[in-house]
Amino acid sequence: MESTTTYAWPRWAEAADGEALERWLAGHGWEVDPTVFMAGGLGQAVQVRPIGAGPDGADDAYGAEGADGPHGPDGEADGAGEDGLLILPGETVEYAGARMRIARRTPADTRARACA
């Protein structure tokens, strides 16, 4: 089960993974960009964008600046005009307000290592 704020895009993703990602994105007002496809040695990368964004990143319903100008009513950058985000295999994406970003990785072992 994925968190409501993060989604781990697996290496060698299968169709079910893509469907789960699409449901998670839709819950946050984002979608998979159907105009971008990338595959590599570790599987498929996925480009995501705000729902309704055109191929150039502009929001089709509101134009490049959106209903509230280039930023949302709270002064933060919103999804309108957002170019999107490329998620590589094995990365975790994080929903942060109206934005998506790659979640920071935390080192597995942060303790100081003794030198032999």
Side-chain angles (χ1 to χ4, degrees):
M1 183 77 178
E2 293 296 329
S3 162
T4 57
T5 58
T6 62
Y7 187 91
W9 181 241
R11 292 182 173 151
W12 304 287
E14 298 180 1
D17 298 311
E19 292 166 3
L21 175 63
E22 288 177 0
R23 286 190 302 273
W24 183 83
L25 288 168
H28 297 297
W30 285 64
E31 65 186 356
V32 172
D33 184 343
T35 64
V36 178
F37 178 81
M38 298 171 117
L42 297 177
Q44 176 182 344
V46 179
Q47 176 79 18
V48 298
R49 65 184 185 187
I51 290 177
D56 61 356
D59 188 306
D60 292 338
Y62 302 114
E65 292 189 337
D68 298 308
H71 301 289
D74 58 0
E76 295 292 316
D78 61 14
E82 185 90 12
D83 289 336
L85 178 70
L86 181 65
I87 307 168
L88 301 176
E91 288 187 324
T92 298
V93 66
E94 178 179 29
Y95 177 72
R99 304 197 88 157
M100 291 284 173
R101 63 182 177 206
I102 301 301
R104 288 190 172 164
R105 294 182 182 178
T106 54
D109 185 0
T110 56
R111 294 175 291 168
R113 296 189 178 166
C115 295

